[in-house]
Amino acid sequence: MKTNKLNLLTLILAFLAIGLNAQSNGVSNTETSIATTVNDKSLKWLPAPDFFPNCSFTILHGDISKPNLDFFFRIEPNTEVIYHTHNSPERMILISGDLEVQYEGEKATVLKAGSYAYGPAKKPHRAKCLNNGPCVLFVAMVDPFDAVPIKEKK
């Protein structure tokens, strides 16, 4: 009998600890889920910074000035994205198009739709959307968004 009460008390304490941990990690039942596509007419596409001509983006989840941001980034066909850096690492999935990506000191890689790519924080990189565009990337950033253009090293 004592063992059953002890087991029950241990189980209750474990569930309480899990619940408190979930609350402290920001888990909330009030947040709504999201499901969308790049063709969703309700998405608001905004122009990218001037040094990214023919590019646009739309925020999917989060705030551009805060950590943990998800967005689509669209690059029109035959458009080059100049060398730049971000303070945040990037996790990307190419949704459409063929995108050539090159990180400083590495060989260029051509991503096809469905490809995953990881970009380290502060590592200079460039991209070019090839003829099979537009290129649309899903991008997840850990830190607030920034993009800093840099000059290529000769």
Side-chain angles (χ1 to χ4, degrees):
M1 185 74 165
K2 264 188 171 179
T3 304
N4 286 344
K5 285 184 180 180
L6 185 59
N7 287 342
L8 182 59
L9 181 58
T10 303
L11 187 61
I12 290 170
L13 289 174
F15 279 119
L16 181 59
I18 290 169
L20 290 173
N21 186 43
Q23 284 180 340
S24 68
N25 287 331
V27 175
S28 169
N29 288 337
T30 60
E31 188 173 18
T32 58
S33 62
I34 299 170
T36 192
T37 69
V38 296
N39 299 318
D40 187 330
K41 300 287 185 213
S42 69
L43 293 176
K44 183 178 177 185
W45 289 88
L46 304 167
D50 290 343
F51 53 85
F52 292 150
N54 298 319
C55 298
S56 56
F57 70 97
T58 185
I59 304 297
L60 300 170
H61 184 261
D63 181 315
I64 199 162
S65 64
K66 295 182 180 173
N68 299 316
L69 174 67
D70 297 339
F71 60 97
F72 284 143
F73 188 74
R74 182 172 49 208
I75 308 164
E76 295 304 320
N78 299 307
T79 297
E80 291 191 35
V81 176
I82 64 168
Y83 266 96
H84 64 284
T85 63
H86 307 283
N87 283 324
S88 177
E90 295 178 286
R91 290 169 179 83
M92 301 162 279
I93 297 175
L94 186 63
I95 305 296
S96 65
D98 295 332
L99 184 68
E100 181 183 270
V101 179
Q102 184 174 22
Y103 283 83
E104 188 175 76
E106 300 179 22
K107 291 182 181 178
T109 301
V110 176
L111 304 176
K112 303 282 187 181
S115 297
Y116 167 82
Y118 170 79
K122 301 180 182 176
K123 187 160 190 179
H125 57 286
R126 65 158 195 86
K128 181 178 181 183
C129 183
L130 304 177
N131 293 339
N132 188 21
C135 295
V136 178
L137 280 166
F138 166 79
V139 182
M141 292 187 129
V142 175
D143 298 312
F145 178 82
D146 70 338
V148 180
I150 61 167
K151 293 186 181 196
E152 245 181 284
K153 294 180 182 176
K154 300 281 179 182

